[in-house]
Amino acid sequence: MTTPRRAPLSVIAAATLVALSATALPAQATTAERGSPAAVSAVSAAASGHRLDRAALRRSLDAFHKAGMYGAYSAVRDGSAQWRGAAGFADIDTHRPTRPDLEHRVGSITKSFTAVAVLQQVGAGRVDLDAPVGRYVPDLVSGERGRQVTVRMLLNHTSGIGDYVLPAFPGILENPGKALDENRLRRIAPEELVRLGLAAPPAAERGTHAYSNTNYILAGLILERVTGQKAEAYITRNVIRRAGLRHTYFPTSPALRGPHAKMYESFFGLIDPARDYSVADMSWAGTAGALVSTTSDLNDFYRRLLDGRLLGAAQLREMKTTVPAYETPPGEEPLMRYGLGIYTLKMPSGGWYWGHDGAVFGAGTWALSTEDGRRQVAVGYNLMKYQRFDAEGNPLPDPVTPALSAHVEGALTGTTAPPRGTPPQREQGRQGARTLPDLPIGPDALHQASLRQGVFRK
């Protein structure tokens, strides 16, 4: 195991897009432009006309487990046809098997729910997307930021506000196991998370997409100010229940209340063996990433969102108005564009899909749908930061990520192509920010920031 070299927390935090998102987004992106929904239409022609190949889905989920993932559970739909499966272990010590209906911490997929709630208030005339946040939370965001940062900038991550996660877990880059263990049951108020995020150096200038969990803690606090309710209570009543979800909730205690897998965090081999963090106080994630759900509930949610049952037509158009999620060379289109709590992603097959991914310590989730919500997949898994790197920070061969991508793409397109090897990652820019790899899920951004500062080098 490579011994991490210490680096100042403030320096690393300035370059970090941290751990609630599993997607390997780079730290820099092009200047955000308010895109036309028509320009980023996410209809996947590849999915049309393909029935569910249950045997192929079973094989690809098993392959994900055999590649090194401890346990996984998946739900796939094509219209009214459904398939659910599970592979591997919910507990690696007892070999308790996974089940398709397990509850799971879904991390940043929570942002889709929070964005829907805020957009409902936009439709009711209580929130203006282009109003400054200082109008709603002047005691939290004041001065020039309060005047210049808009609600829309929070929801599409162009606010220029830093991320709170690293300062909320002091010492996590030097000794992640110790930091996570010491803070496992720590209760932290959303106002404190905002304070930490505002004090953190921004990952990019205002107007440029830079993923920050602080944005969605602020969105939740704005929701509380305009509704007079706790954000979690409002989202439960007006989003979760309205969508008819039966196994989705904000946790009120460190333990999940229903059947679930243990959730193992490896932190790129710095926690060895990987430790279970399924019992944890999730106040550090709040309206940015604390939600618990199941894969079937996530498919229900995105289908009902995309077919217009949760938002009015105008608000859904705003949600699907996107900005580039990362910088590309001139003339090259980004493979991901971020809207308001939802993104559109181009898979290697060429199809575009809507959804989100999420990661907390020990648990990863990925949910994608065609634009009409007909073809869908949601998959959860219980080993995080399984990737390994050499002393120079170069990725070592990784069979797990391609197997995940193969399962997801096969679920969406009906194809049965075998997983490909780990794609090369191209260096870009003076700071070494990487573009998205050919496969959309890769080493999470916490490592990318640490690597730029030499934290994982000898």
Side-chain angles (χ1 to χ4, degrees):
M1 181 177 68
T2 300
T3 301
R5 181 173 64 83
R6 288 183 178 271
L9 181 64
S10 60
V11 174
I12 299 167
T16 301
L17 300 170
V18 200
L20 284 184
S21 175
T23 304
L25 297 179
Q28 299 291 327
T30 54
T31 299
E33 298 177 357
R34 188 174 174 187
S36 163
V40 293
S41 177
V43 176
S44 172
S48 301
H50 289 286
R51 296 181 179 179
L52 297 182
D53 186 337
R54 289 169 169 80
L57 291 168
R58 172 77 266 164
R59 287 193 299 271
S60 65
L61 193 64
D62 285 342
F64 181 35
H65 165 58
K66 291 175 182 177
M69 180 51 58
Y70 288 170
Y73 14 95
S74 177
V76 183
R77 294 182 183 173
D78 185 7
S80 60
Q82 300 187 46
W83 175 86
R84 297 194 306 163
F89 305 118
D91 185 326
I92 59 172
D93 294 321
T94 66
H95 282 197
R96 172 169 59 94
T98 56
R99 293 167 25 187
D101 61 345
L102 292 180
E103 291 182 354
H104 191 69
R105 299 193 191 278
V106 300
S108 278
I109 287 177
T110 307
K111 291 178 174 67
S112 294
F113 289 74
T114 300
V116 168
V118 173
L119 286 164
Q120 288 175 347
Q121 292 302 301
V122 171
R126 299 187 187 97
V127 173
D128 182 345
L129 279 175
D130 296 309
V133 297
R135 175 187 298 181
Y136 304 102
V137 285
D139 54 321
L140 296 175
V141 189
S142 59
E144 190 260 349
R145 268 179 170 165
R147 295 187 298 271
Q148 298 298 322
V149 175
T150 66
V151 176
R152 185 189 303 276
M153 289 176 177
L154 297 180
L155 298 183
N156 67 12
H157 297 293
T158 61
S159 69
I161 294 174
D163 197 289
Y164 64 78
V165 174
L166 284 181
F169 290 87
I172 191 169
L173 296 178
E174 293 82 2
N175 191 333
K178 182 174 183 287
L180 293 182
D181 289 346
E182 289 178 347
N183 292 279
R184 179 197 293 266
L185 301 179
R186 176 187 175 198
R187 192 81 183 159
I188 185 166
E191 292 83 0
E192 174 65 9
L193 297 176
V194 169
R195 185 190 69 77
L196 293 173
L198 291 173
E205 64 183 12
R206 186 181 310 126
T208 298
H209 179 92
Y211 198 92
S212 172
N213 295 295
T214 313
N215 291 323
Y216 273 77
I217 299 297
L218 275 167
L221 290 169
I222 290 173
L223 191 63
E224 292 187 358
R225 300 291 176 90
V226 300
T227 65
Q229 305 175 43
K230 295 295 292 182
E232 291 86 352
Y234 179 89
I235 294 168
T236 298
R237 183 175 300 110
N238 295 281
V239 182
I240 295 172
R241 291 180 182 169
R242 185 171 172 181
L245 310 184
R246 300 174 59 187
H247 304 285
T248 300
Y249 60 93
F250 284 96
T252 57
S253 70
L256 280 70
R257 68 190 188 199
H260 61 278
K262 289 188 173 183
M263 299 175 185
Y264 297 94
E265 178 62 46
S266 175
F267 216 96
F268 310 108
L270 297 181
I271 301 176
D272 186 18
R275 297 179 198 167
D276 170 33
Y277 290 99
S278 57
V279 176
D281 189 307
M282 294 303 294
S283 60
W284 68 269
T287 51
L291 209 62
V292 175
S293 191
T294 64
T295 54
S296 291
D297 265 16
L298 292 178
N299 283 340
D300 281 342
F301 167 72
Y302 281 110
R303 178 171 287 184
R304 289 161 189 170
L305 170 61
L306 292 168
D307 71 11
R309 281 183 273 180
L310 301 181
L311 289 173
Q315 285 70 56
L316 186 56
R317 282 195 300 273
E318 294 284 14
M319 192 175 203
K320 293 164 67 177
T321 298
T322 63
V323 297
Y326 66 102
E327 185 179 5
T328 62
E332 182 177 312
E333 69 169 346
L335 303 180
M336 177 186 287
R337 298 181 63 93
Y338 202 94
L340 307 184
I342 193 171
Y343 58 63
T344 181
L345 176 71
K346 187 177 184 179
M347 295 293 285
S349 62
W352 285 88
Y353 301 91
W354 289 99
H356 214 288
D357 60 274
V360 297
F361 299 111
T365 318
W366 197 12
L368 292 175
S369 299
T370 52
E371 190 171 34
D372 60 6
R374 177 178 176 84
R375 189 84 181 206
Q376 300 181 288
V377 60
V379 58
Y381 44 99
N382 68 343
L383 173 63
M384 291 304 290
K385 303 182 191 68
Y386 50 79
Q387 300 90 348
R388 297 293 183 268
F389 301 84
D390 65 21
E392 297 304 314
N394 299 308
L396 297 174
D398 164 28
V400 181
T401 299
L404 170 60
S405 184
H407 175 72
V408 169
E409 188 161 22
L412 291 169
T413 65
T415 60
T416 57
R420 290 164 289 178
T422 304
Q425 293 180 309
R426 295 163 295 167
E427 294 294 334
Q428 176 184 327
R430 294 180 181 177
Q431 297 185 8
R434 292 183 171 99
T435 63
L436 284 171
D438 294 334
L439 299 174
I441 298 296
D444 83 13
L446 185 60
H447 171 79
Q448 302 291 349
S450 304
L451 180 61
R452 284 194 295 276
Q453 300 299 326
V455 173
F456 282 85
R457 291 179 181 150
K458 291 180 179 177

